[in-house]
Amino acid sequence: MQSIMTGFLILLLAINSIMVFQLRDMKRTDIIRHLRYMALGVAGIIVPEMVILLTKDRQIAYYAFTFYYIALAWYAMMIFRFSVSYSGYQLFKVYKSPFVWITVIESAVLIWGMFSERVFTIAHAKWYDHIYWICRGFSMFYVYAIVSSIFLIGAVVVLMIAATQSPRIYRLKYSGVAIIIALMVISRLNSQIRQQPILVQVIGFAFGEIVIVYMAVHYAPKKLNQRAMQFVADKLNDGIVLYDDEHQLQFVTTGYSDAVGFKGIQGISNEEMYWTKIISGANVGNAWNGRVMSVARDDDTYYYEIQHMALNEDGKLIGTVYWIRNVTESIKSYGEMVCRANFDELTGIYNEAHFHEMARKLLEENPDTDFVMTCSSVEKFRVFKELFGQEKYDDYLIRTAESLRTGLVHIPHCVYGRIGEADFYIMMPKEAFDPQQFLDAIDGVANAYSTNNFNLIVKAGVYEITEPLQDMLAICNKASMACDSIKGDYGKQILWFDENIQKESLLKERYNAELSTAIEHGEIQIYLQPQVDREGKVIGAEALARWVHREDGLIPPAYFIPFFEMNGRITELDICIWKQACEKLKEWKEKGRDDLHISVNISAKDLYALDIYEHYVSLVKEFGIDTKNLKLEITESAIINDLKQHAHLVERLQEAGFEVEMDDFGSAYSSFNMLKDICVDVLKIDMKFLGDTENEERSHAILKSIVDLSGELHMKTIAEGVETEEQFEFLKGVGCDIYQGYYFSKPMSVADFEAKYL
Ligand code: C2E
Ligand code: CA
Ligand code: CA
């Protein structure tokens, strides 16, 4: 028991020492000085008590008692002096020496008693089954005890007077300390009168000191904070509303009703999260509904700039603050100029400049937080616009912005904006970023705009901002590079940026910059892949683009075609390829080989960028070739995009004598269904769409029925990607007309082709 108590006292001593240590750093006011002395006094009390608890030696115990009472005398006197200066009474400063002298005399008496044992005596006594040293005083001791109690009682009285004279919010500050000291006195008298060990009072004194330091130094009345806050808030003309975690109104500025322009503030406590509703339910048809949004009231429109902040602690929401500024005047008088500078007019969220600015600010203000930048972007948005019109497209953008607003409202430190035509950027703390949730949100909006004919696909790139100091444009670019690099890739919807993406993207940029000169210098060339009939006789070839780069050598189309399809420059390239094909056909014709045809690829983009019909008609005229020798491959997916219009184009091309092939037939969803609306001359089936299936029987059955069906619809079939003899034999068996693939030959340069087949 003794050792447990000693341990406990050591703990109190430690807390006490830490407090003294902390006080050392504070400004040296009288109060702080007194508190430090008091803390020393407590140490002077605890140490002898530990000796008393542990020793069996009566003499040592007696000395320890003496030191204990001396320390107690000084402690009591210091408490008194502390209370006086704490209460703000200057008067006693002048008379401080008498108190010191009284304590000196007390100490002297006790020291004298140490040798004569005439002040008190000690003896063993049992208390709660344990043996303790206890002290019995003689008359001299009572004089001493009364004097030191007077100090303590005096302290209580001074503090109580101060409490009654001070404003209400400060009462606890004084009366609290007074009560603590009163409890000390009571515990002291109690153990003295009932002849108990001094343990209880030591603990009381030590605790008392801790509470007093807290009250005097650290405690600031809560009401004072609130009053200060109210004071500041009242000075503002803005409305600030604070809700707690249960959406209960906690605080509102008096300026609120003026700021908001409503008649009175009644009702806002009932209208739970009134502003959240406005933010999330904002009528997006209005021009200024983002961070600045309009609210129609009393036949008038008000504009508010609303800042919204979720207060979090340990990742949990503890409250929400809305800072509402009525910007109606400025918006109306400045002709909405201010907002126009910062907000995207269509969606009401940040525009590029303001997004960059706010994101930069966020990074600077939170240097210890890891952030991610995301970029999300619609694939083929021009096609979407072409198909559904500007209005529908705008509607999609507005809906996306709206979903950002509602989805991100509770994520602290998050900014978002619309940049460019179709890209949305979000910057948020990495720990708040959930990729799946993010994609679900994106798809949620996009799916609503997809139809049978067009899938609205949104791709996303994410960049973890590892170097927050780099330019904001560079940060955004990295997210955007990651996003762009998966456009056209059906398997991927989101990609995190890494160095390779940057390299690849720089390479593409380079190719993009070099394309025109490459075309001029003849670096873009056709390679020919033979097409054979049932007997294996070459009857023509498909023209496939190759870039014979002066530095990088032969570049296969996979490196540049998808990219040029994306940015629209494919048309430039295709025109060049078609021309080369026509040149070749002309040459062959002159050599008497007009039995050979060349198939060229037409990209989906070409269908929008060019008048294909006009272009081809004038091409054959220019080169004096026969339309039947130039075959046109259009991919199934390109045709599906706008079936009606393309069916018409195909018809006209056929009337002019061209043979139109539907490339990659079977790769899209509704291949068969489409055939009722469009009539091409040839279906081109790529073996890879069937080749890898586990069930060979089934794919054979499908192939067979495609060939049968095409026969019934008076279309021919080409099988491409034929790699093995078995494939060839099977295809022959089902009645396929033309074959192309590595089994016969890889694509080869024109020179090689001519050497071999001409
Ligand atoms: P595509 O039109 O489906 O062309 C067939 C692709 O399959 C060619 O790839 C060809 O080399 C390859 N191939 C041929 N036989 C076999 C085989 O037996 N097995 C396998 N695994 N592959 C075979 P390439 O030349 O790399 O072209 C890829 C794609 O690039 C083409 O697919 C086409 O969509 C596009 N492309 C190529 N040249 C042009 C062009 O001039 N204009 C346009 N718009 N696109 C082009
Ligand atoms: Ca093709
Ligand atoms: Ca193909």
Side-chain angles (χ1 to χ4, degrees):
M1 187 64 191
Q2 257 83 354
S3 50
I4 293 174
M5 288 330 292
T6 313
F8 187 57
L9 289 175
I10 289 174
L11 181 70
L12 286 176
L13 189 62
I15 296 174
N16 204 58
S17 318
I18 290 168
M19 284 192 326
V20 179
F21 199 73
Q22 279 183 339
L23 289 177
R24 224 183 44 164
D25 298 338
M26 293 201 159
K27 232 176 70 195
R28 287 161 191 275
T29 61
D30 271 355
I31 295 174
I32 298 292
R33 201 157 44 84
H34 289 141
L35 285 173
R36 283 168 59 196
Y37 287 141
M38 279 161 62
L40 276 177
V42 172
I45 291 168
I46 292 178
V47 175
E49 168 61 357
M50 290 197 298
V51 175
I52 294 166
L53 276 177
L54 295 174
T55 188
K56 298 231 162 42
D57 185 316
R58 186 177 183 282
Q59 197 58 46
I60 291 174
Y62 193 84
Y63 288 157
F65 264 106
T66 306
F67 284 118
Y68 171 77
Y69 283 120
I70 290 172
L72 187 58
W74 287 94
Y75 183 51
M77 192 271 289
M78 285 319 303
I79 287 182
F80 177 65
R81 285 185 52 193
F82 158 77
S83 304
V84 170
S85 44
Y86 184 58
S87 308
Y89 297 113
Q90 297 294 323
L91 170 78
F92 290 93
K93 217 171 183 175
V94 191
Y95 300 107
K96 68 177 177 191
S97 45
F99 304 123
V100 176
W101 280 116
I102 289 170
T103 317
V104 169
I105 293 167
E106 280 180 291
S107 310
V109 169
L110 287 163
I111 289 169
W112 167 71
M114 187 161 74
F115 301 107
S116 61
E117 248 188 71
R118 298 271 287 277
V119 178
F120 61 83
T121 180
I122 61 170
H124 263 137
K126 206 169 164 194
W127 189 57
Y128 288 110
D129 291 343
H130 292 277
I131 304 292
Y132 292 88
W133 289 109
I134 61 157
C135 152
R136 238 172 253 129
F138 304 126
S139 50
M140 193 74 98
F141 183 78
Y142 285 103
V143 174
Y144 153 80
I146 288 167
V147 171
S148 52
S149 297
I150 285 174
F151 276 129
L152 292 177
I153 293 165
V156 174
V157 171
V158 169
L159 288 165
M160 290 312 282
I161 294 172
T164 51
Q165 287 177 350
S166 60
R168 226 180 45 201
I169 62 164
Y170 283 118
R171 259 174 222 169
L172 184 64
K173 192 174 142 162
Y174 297 118
S175 58
V177 176
I179 290 167
I180 298 298
I181 297 173
L183 288 174
M184 286 182 187
V185 178
I186 292 168
S187 85
R188 158 125 213 240
L189 291 177
N190 178 53
S191 57
Q192 202 76 61
I193 291 163
R194 294 169 62 186
Q195 297 275 312
Q196 283 173 356
I198 55 174
L199 180 62
V200 181
Q201 45 172 298
V202 171
I203 292 172
F205 286 139
F207 260 127
E209 159 78 356
I210 293 169
V211 178
I212 289 170
V213 171
Y214 171 77
M215 294 292 286
V217 180
H218 302 290
Y219 170 80
K222 204 171 151 197
K223 277 220 181 94
L224 184 64
N225 280 339
Q226 284 174 351
R227 287 283 277 280
M229 208 161 126
Q230 195 71 50
F231 174 78
V232 176
D234 288 351
K235 292 254 174 241
L236 290 170
N237 293 324
D238 304 346
I240 298 176
V241 198
L242 167 69
Y243 293 93
D244 66 10
D245 59 337
E246 292 182 324
H247 311 321
Q248 295 298 318
L249 182 72
Q250 289 296 319
F251 175 83
V252 58
T253 52
T254 40
Y256 176 84
S257 55
D258 286 342
V260 171
F262 300 165
K263 317 253 157 39
I265 59 169
Q266 73 278 40
I268 59 159
S269 55
N270 307 336
E271 291 177 48
E272 184 209 70
M273 300 291 249
Y274 179 82
W275 294 105
T276 318
K277 277 197 230 154
I278 289 191
I279 291 173
S280 59
N283 175 3
V284 284
N286 290 324
W288 302 116
N289 42 38
R291 296 297 161 97
V292 170
M293 48 190 66
S294 60
V295 178
R297 278 226 170 193
D298 313 330
D299 294 334
D300 217 339
T301 303
Y302 293 86
Y303 295 91
Y304 301 109
E305 184 182 342
I306 302 176
Q307 285 192 27
H308 159 264
M309 192 169 67
L311 306 171
N312 290 291
E313 202 171 282
D314 301 331
K316 281 202 193 105
L317 185 78
I318 55 169
T320 328
V321 183
Y322 294 86
W323 183 309
I324 300 136
R325 243 154 45 84
N326 190 338
V327 289
T328 313
E329 281 300 303
S330 63
I331 285 193
K332 285 184 176 161
S333 58
Y334 294 116
E336 307 178 351
M337 203 177 67
V338 189
C339 295
R340 214 173 281 255
N342 291 341
F343 296 91
D344 173 40
E345 192 167 349
L346 178 72
T347 61
I349 64 176
Y350 290 160
N351 62 17
E352 176 167 9
H354 202 47
F355 173 74
H356 282 184
E357 190 185 321
M358 296 313 268
R360 165 61 54 214
K361 210 165 127 209
L362 205 55
L363 286 179
E364 276 166 10
E365 283 169 1
N366 301 280
D368 298 329
T369 308
D370 290 333
F371 282 93
V372 292
M373 177 70 77
T374 73
C375 163
S376 54
S377 176
V378 178
E379 216 171 90
K380 303 189 188 151
F381 75 89
R382 286 199 183 84
V383 179
F384 179 80
K385 249 162 62 173
E386 189 74 33
L387 288 178
F388 300 107
Q390 183 73 37
E391 208 172 303
K392 186 102 179 178
Y393 182 63
D394 287 351
D395 189 55
Y396 162 75
L397 295 174
I398 290 167
R399 284 269 298 273
T400 304
E402 206 180 318
S403 90
L404 291 180
R405 230 179 261 133
T406 44
L408 301 172
V409 74
H410 285 305
I411 297 183
H413 304 318
C414 170
V415 288
Y416 47 89
R418 175 182 170 216
I419 294 176
E421 175 122 40
D423 298 351
F424 289 91
Y425 285 75
I426 308 172
M427 193 180 88
M428 65 161 91
K430 189 184 169 197
E431 57 168 28
F433 179 65
D434 178 339
Q436 195 52 51
Q437 214 175 330
F438 176 63
L439 289 180
D440 289 347
I442 286 177
D443 287 342
V445 180
N447 289 343
Y449 292 84
S450 293
T451 63
N452 279 344
N453 295 339
F454 185 84
N455 261 337
L456 186 71
I457 298 169
V458 182
K459 293 285 163 86
V462 190
Y463 168 54
E464 183 180 348
I465 304 175
T466 44
E467 293 161 54
L469 291 180
Q470 66 188 308
D471 191 49
M472 193 43 72
L473 199 63
I475 292 177
C476 291
N477 269 344
K478 286 180 178 154
S480 151
M481 272 180 221
C483 178
D484 284 345
S485 71
I486 49 172
K487 282 188 179 164
D489 180 342
Y490 287 96
K492 288 198 191 112
Q493 201 186 358
I494 187 168
L495 191 70
W496 289 71
F497 173 85
D498 65 29
E499 294 304 323
N500 287 336
I501 292 172
Q502 183 160 27
K503 267 189 221 147
E504 214 171 275
S505 161
L506 289 175
L507 190 70
K508 282 178 185 164
E509 284 308 326
R510 205 182 107 210
Y511 289 161
N512 194 39
E514 292 173 349
L515 179 65
S516 300
T517 38
I519 290 176
E520 252 173 59
H521 295 167
E523 290 179 25
I524 305 294
Q525 298 178 1
I526 52 171
Y527 263 48
L528 295 173
Q529 185 174 35
Q531 295 180 334
V532 307
D533 64 10
R534 302 176 60 82
E535 274 70 53
K537 189 178 142 239
V538 173
I539 53 167
E542 177 178 2
L544 294 157
R546 297 290 182 269
W547 188 329
V548 189
H549 197 278
R550 69 196 123 78
E551 282 165 20
D552 297 359
L554 190 75
I555 309 170
Y559 284 86
F560 55 91
I561 297 264
F563 173 62
F564 288 141
E565 294 220 340
M566 214 171 65
N567 72 6
R569 296 194 67 187
I570 188 70
T571 307
E572 233 173 292
L573 183 141
D574 276 341
I575 289 176
C576 157
I577 294 288
W578 302 337
K579 206 171 147 198
Q580 289 181 43
C582 292
E583 271 164 0
K584 267 300 131 206
L585 286 173
K586 183 179 173 211
E587 245 181 80
W588 292 350
K589 188 179 174 186
E590 284 163 4
K591 287 182 183 159
R593 287 301 305 265
D594 63 351
D595 56 319
L596 294 173
H597 70 256
I598 294 182
S599 303
V600 293
N601 290 286
I602 299 176
S603 154
K605 286 273 161 70
D606 299 335
L607 299 175
Y608 297 102
L610 286 178
D611 185 336
I612 292 286
Y613 177 82
E614 279 298 323
H615 194 87
Y616 274 103
V617 169
S618 51
L619 260 182
V620 289
K621 208 183 264 168
E622 183 187 339
F623 287 92
I625 53 174
D626 203 337
T627 45
K628 74 173 194 335
N629 289 52
L630 185 62
K631 302 194 178 189
L632 314 180
E633 291 188 15
I634 309 177
T635 56
E636 181 190 48
S637 53
I639 292 180
I640 288 180
N641 269 347
D642 189 352
L643 205 53
K644 230 191 219 151
Q645 200 184 328
H646 295 152
H648 182 60
L649 172 68
V650 169
E651 240 169 71
R652 287 169 67 213
L653 287 169
Q654 285 168 331
E655 274 164 23
F658 291 103
E659 220 172 68
V660 180
E661 303 175 355
M662 191 184 286
D663 200 0
D664 298 344
F665 180 78
S667 63
Y669 283 115
S670 45
S671 310
F672 283 104
N673 194 27
M674 182 176 55
L675 292 178
K676 72 178 172 0
D677 299 314
I678 192 159
C679 177
V680 292
D681 301 283
V682 184
L683 290 185
K684 192 166 183 184
I685 314 152
D686 195 326
M687 294 300 287
K688 75 167 174 271
F689 298 127
L690 289 160
D692 285 343
T693 52
E694 281 172 11
N695 197 333
E696 205 185 10
E697 230 169 83
R698 286 175 86 93
S699 45
H700 279 184
I702 293 173
L703 267 174
K704 186 171 177 334
S705 53
I706 293 179
V707 177
D708 288 349
L709 180 74
S710 63
E712 267 171 55
L713 296 173
H714 310 293
M715 297 186 286
K716 281 191 285 185
T717 45
I718 299 181
E720 70 173 320
V722 181
E723 290 182 342
T724 62
E725 191 180 348
E726 293 89 81
Q727 283 178 336
F728 182 42
E729 290 305 324
F730 169 76
L731 290 161
K732 266 202 291 196
V734 296
C736 195
D737 302 290
I738 302 170
Y739 311 84
Q740 177 186 347
Y742 291 172
Y743 176 61
F744 310 102
S745 170
K746 289 202 169 183
M748 56 179 85
S749 69
V750 175
D752 287 349
F753 183 89
E754 290 178 333
K756 209 162 169 188
Y757 302 111
L758 235 58

